[in-house]
Amino acid sequence: MQDGTQVVTRIAPSPTGFMHIGTARTALFNWLYARGRGGRFLLRIEDTDRERATPGATEAILRGMTWLGLGWDGEAVSQFARAGRHAEIAHAMLETGDAYKCFSTPDEIAAYRETARAEGRSTNFRSPWRDADPADYPDAPHAIRIRAPREGETVIEDRVQGSVRWKNTDLDDMILLRSDGTPTYMLAVVVDDHDMGVTHVIRGDDHLANAARQSLIYRAMGWPLPVYAHIPLILGPDGKKLSKRHGATGVEEYQKMGYPASGMRNYLARLGWSHGDDEFFTDAQALEWFDLDGINKAPARFDFKKLENLCGQHIASAEDSGILTDLVAYLSAIDADPLTKTQEDGLSRAMYSLKERSKTYGELIEKAHFVLGSRPFLPDGKAAAALDPVSRGILIELTPHLQNASWTRDGLEDAIAAFAGEKDLKLGRIAPPLRAALAGRTVTPSVFDMMLVIGREETLGRIEDATGHSGN
Ligand code: GLU
């Protein structure tokens, strides 16, 4: 890339039916790199495997990207739809002698490899057609192969891996166009990246060897190579490749587990990239800080505790209105009933008390039961245990104090402190039954926050429901 050229990155997922967390991280790195530099971030669906590339599989990727907030520029490009253009380039390389027609049959290739193996030679296929006279060409199906150099080295200057070298004898004359006329993946990626103007290819290091082979196509066509950054894979906490054994690997599963997208972005950015000791950061900070130099060379290990911790911090620091929007999407993702207007209002009023110490939206919704439910609040098992007869008696005696209290935090704290003093009770004896009466649950915001949010009348009504005593 020349100085002053706009940065263009891309994510090029193959539709596999779901969006893998590793793909999400690669997408995020590309998004941060481009967006942080006023560049463009593109999406290409590598849908050439027609069996796997169902519309549903593509939609899963679009949904995952959208949930994560990784907006792309323009339309998503379909690789399959560009097969004609790929073939055109294979033919152009044929014209210049950078590619040749190969009439070897699959059986002949298998036999070549068999013999090579038996003789302890490289099994890279050496086509007898590479130097054949076109006058000898049969009228038969043929593939188009690249005429790869056989001497010297191919070097990829990778921004993460450093200089990586391959002996050209190890790079074979890969097929560009199959005998049925379909392009190979290797050809398609290069042609698409070139045509889309991609300046930086940031992708998993499982593609590093592909970069060497793909660079041969760039060179043959006289196209400038993109900047390469091959990032290490994500491992599970035990150091083995991240898999279902460790936990969820699909992005949408994380959405359903109630993690906020902002926390996911923060966590995924830290998974293999660092900026000093910074753990918690905003999108704006990540956009400003993200650079290829900060990508770690060693594979990152997925740490579920850290993910939860960061998500909790993002929920706590988010705008209340943003959380409400996220909650609506979360409830729809888990097929829960949508919120009523009353519930939304209740959530908005209670949000300040709910967003502290909620690591997921699921936890937040649990804690919000006192504004989501309605009277009578039947206690769950644990809450019922806090409403034994003695405790109910305490609530009955507390009632007149609440009837007369001034309904502010100080007023309520004073009223309960005065009552506790009068009865020689600790707050720890009063709060559990009060909590159980107000919410029917044991995990809730503080009793003061709940009373302030629901108001005096509702507070007294719920105590009455729990004690069976009207207080009049
Ligand atoms: N389609 C490839 C994958 O999903 C990515 C290709 C690339 O980034 O060059 O692994």
Side-chain angles (χ1 to χ4, degrees):
M1 195 197 56
Q2 323 256 286
D3 278 349
T5 308
Q6 188 186 40
V7 167
V8 181
T9 65
R10 47 61 161 190
I11 181 73
S14 309
T16 54
F18 74 115
M19 188 172 188
H20 193 272
I21 201 79
T23 308
R25 186 205 37 178
T26 304
L28 175 71
F29 280 20
N30 279 283
W31 181 84
L32 286 171
Y33 192 76
R35 290 276 187 267
R37 287 165 180 74
R40 288 162 58 73
F41 169 63
L42 308 178
L43 170 61
R44 179 172 74 237
I45 307 290
E46 304 218 307
D47 51 357
T48 46
D49 178 346
R50 298 317 282 165
E51 275 178 25
R52 302 186 90 178
T54 59
T58 296
E59 273 154 29
I61 290 169
L62 304 186
R63 278 200 311 270
M65 296 279 290
T66 304
W67 173 62
L68 274 173
L70 305 180
W72 57 95
D73 291 303
E75 294 283 309
V77 172
S78 156
Q79 185 159 70
F80 178 69
R82 294 178 36 82
R85 168 70 178 156
H86 305 146
E88 189 184 312
I89 296 302
H91 284 105
M93 288 173 65
L94 207 50
E95 285 294 305
T96 54
D98 290 305
Y100 63 89
K101 293 182 182 175
C102 172
F103 296 86
S104 297
T105 64
D107 282 350
E108 286 165 0
I109 297 169
Y112 176 97
R113 295 217 160 102
E114 190 62 35
T115 312
R117 196 170 298 118
E119 292 174 1
R121 287 187 287 116
S122 159
T123 54
N124 276 349
F125 179 58
R126 295 292 172 108
S127 170
W129 299 98
R130 177 171 159 124
D131 299 314
D133 185 341
D136 298 334
Y137 283 174
D139 182 16
H142 59 269
I144 296 182
R145 286 182 184 271
I146 191 167
R147 190 186 303 277
R150 292 203 170 156
E151 311 230 291
E153 286 185 330
T154 293
V155 183
I156 294 291
E157 300 296 345
D158 190 272
R159 288 292 300 276
V160 178
Q161 314 286 336
S163 284
V164 191
R165 321 179 92 80
W166 285 263
K167 282 206 209 73
N168 284 339
T169 44
D170 293 340
L171 304 178
D172 61 349
D173 287 352
M174 65 187 166
I175 294 180
L176 303 173
L177 210 60
R178 299 184 190 92
S179 58
D180 64 2
T182 58
T184 56
Y185 163 73
M186 287 297 196
L187 175 66
V189 168
V190 173
V191 176
D192 290 347
D193 280 343
H194 171 263
D195 288 359
M196 291 162 75
V198 171
T199 58
H200 292 70
V201 169
I202 306 169
R203 63 185 174 189
D205 67 6
D206 47 334
H207 288 283
L208 181 60
N210 289 346
R213 303 172 82 208
Q214 290 168 357
S215 73
L216 302 178
I217 304 177
Y218 281 97
R219 295 216 159 95
M221 292 304 297
W223 292 339
L225 271 187
V227 174
Y228 284 113
H230 285 91
I231 56 183
L233 291 183
I234 302 173
L235 304 179
D238 59 359
K240 304 221 169 77
K241 189 173 168 198
L242 184 69
S243 75
K244 287 215 180 308
R245 265 184 319 112
H246 300 108
T249 52
V251 166
E252 287 188 279
E253 291 174 80
Y254 286 86
Q255 180 187 20
K256 291 191 178 133
M257 285 189 281
Y259 293 108
S262 54
M264 270 320 266
R265 284 194 295 275
N266 184 165
Y267 179 67
L268 290 177
R270 279 290 292 111
L271 203 52
W273 170 79
S274 45
H275 179 265
D277 293 333
D278 293 304
E279 291 293 348
F280 171 81
F281 43 77
T282 62
D283 288 332
Q285 287 171 314
L287 286 163
E288 190 188 323
W289 295 339
F290 187 83
D291 197 2
L292 302 179
D293 295 335
I295 297 177
N296 307 327
K297 223 170 153 173
R301 291 190 187 205
F302 205 94
D303 179 342
F304 289 89
K305 272 261 151 322
K306 194 155 140 185
L307 168 66
E308 288 200 335
N309 189 295
L310 286 174
C311 284
Q313 292 185 60
H314 276 271
I315 293 177
S317 62
E319 295 278 343
D320 292 2
S321 59
I323 298 182
L324 195 58
T325 310
D326 275 8
L327 284 175
V328 169
Y330 163 69
L331 292 171
S332 149
I334 61 167
D335 290 322
D337 289 338
L339 298 171
T340 62
K341 182 81 184 70
T342 314
Q343 288 176 320
E344 281 194 18
D345 290 347
L347 275 173
S348 297
R349 273 182 286 119
M351 200 61 89
Y352 77 93
S353 67
L354 298 168
K355 64 189 202 183
E356 299 294 332
R357 285 183 291 281
S358 290
K359 294 190 291 293
T360 64
Y361 287 138
E363 284 183 20
L364 190 149
I365 289 283
E366 271 296 303
K367 269 203 321 207
H369 184 66
F370 81 102
V371 282
L372 296 176
S374 54
R375 288 179 60 193
F377 278 78
L378 298 179
D380 67 12
K382 281 190 189 156
L387 287 168
D388 58 280
V390 176
S391 302
R392 290 205 304 270
I394 293 176
L395 292 182
I396 291 167
E397 290 185 322
L398 172 66
T399 300
H401 293 259
L402 294 178
Q403 280 166 335
N404 297 323
S406 108
W407 214 259
T408 60
R409 182 175 302 271
D410 286 349
L412 288 169
E413 279 176 5
D414 288 350
I416 290 192
F419 172 70
E422 188 182 300
K423 300 288 174 195
D424 197 18
L425 293 170
K426 291 207 159 60
L427 179 62
R429 184 65 190 89
I430 303 168
L434 183 53
R435 183 187 307 282
L438 296 176
R441 300 283 162 95
T442 48
V443 181
T444 71
S446 82
V447 290
F448 298 107
D449 284 324
M450 288 196 284
M451 289 191 288
L452 286 167
V453 167
I454 64 178
R456 187 194 315 264
E457 199 184 322
E458 182 72 15
T459 297
L460 295 172
R462 292 186 192 184
I463 292 175
E464 191 181 318
D465 292 342
T467 57
H469 192 276
S470 80
N472 290 320

